[in-house]
Amino acid sequence: MKKIILLLLFLFSLSFTGCEKDDICDANTVTTSRLVISFYDINNSSVLKNVTNLKIIGEGMTDGVPFNGSTVINGSTVSIPLKTDADVTSFSFILNFGNSNTALVNEDHLQFNYTRATVFVSRACGFKTEYTLDPSIPYVHTDAAIADEKWIQYMAVKNSTIDNENETHLEIFF
């Protein structure tokens, strides 16, 4: 009888050896980060400035980049995704989007150049992409015939390594 109990106990303990811990990616795990842009007053470079009804549309897209549940941004900071399969991403930044006075609507096109590195996070989370933004000023052009009509006056790369969303990567002055 003791041999049967020991055999059953041994078989029962063997059933646990095939179990693996659950592979669930923790929501707090940092994955592919977005480019964080802060907007500043051109006349006082230390003061954050809110944009009004800013819509950011990726090249070839028809709808804007969502931020905090909306595609129209009113605030001084925004995060936008970069392509994980290319070294260039282009966006249209439309200030005063939807304004009935079309003279107040101003659109600038920005092209971001960067290099990519694929980094293993974990078995549960997989891989993420880390970017290194080209420190030269991103290419900007506008549809306006006169260069003075651009609403973005100056840009500066503050942190070229994009591996988290806790800091500003690019500063835009207007």
Side-chain angles (χ1 to χ4, degrees), residues 13-83:
S13 65
L14 277 178
S15 67
F16 289 108
T17 60
C19 296
E20 292 183 25
K21 68 177 193 166
D22 289 337
D23 280 343
I24 299 173
C25 186
D26 183 12
N28 296 325
T29 302
V30 177
T31 55
T32 299
S33 300
R34 296 172 291 174
L35 173 67
V36 179
I37 302 171
S38 293
F39 298 94
Y40 289 89
D41 188 345
I42 189 71
N43 298 317
N44 187 351
S45 62
S46 62
V47 176
L48 285 170
K49 185 175 179 181
N50 287 339
V51 291
T52 306
N53 296 328
L54 175 65
K55 188 161 192 165
I56 302 172
I57 302 174
E59 183 179 43
M61 306 298 285
T62 56
D63 202 14
V65 175
F67 186 72
N68 289 338
S70 175
T71 58
V72 177
I73 297 128
N74 288 296
S76 61
T77 302
V78 67
S79 301
I80 58 174
L82 298 175
K83 292 180 181 178

Side-chain angles (χ1 to χ4, degrees), residues 93-124:
F93 282 62
I94 308 169
L95 188 65
N96 297 319
F97 179 81
N99 194 315
S100 58
N101 183 354
T102 55
L104 296 177
V105 178
N106 199 328
E107 180 176 358
D108 287 348
H109 301 277
L110 278 67
Q111 177 178 305
F112 300 101
N113 300 312
Y114 48 85
T115 56
R116 299 167 284 132
T118 304
V119 178
F120 181 73
V121 176
S122 69
R123 192 170 70 183

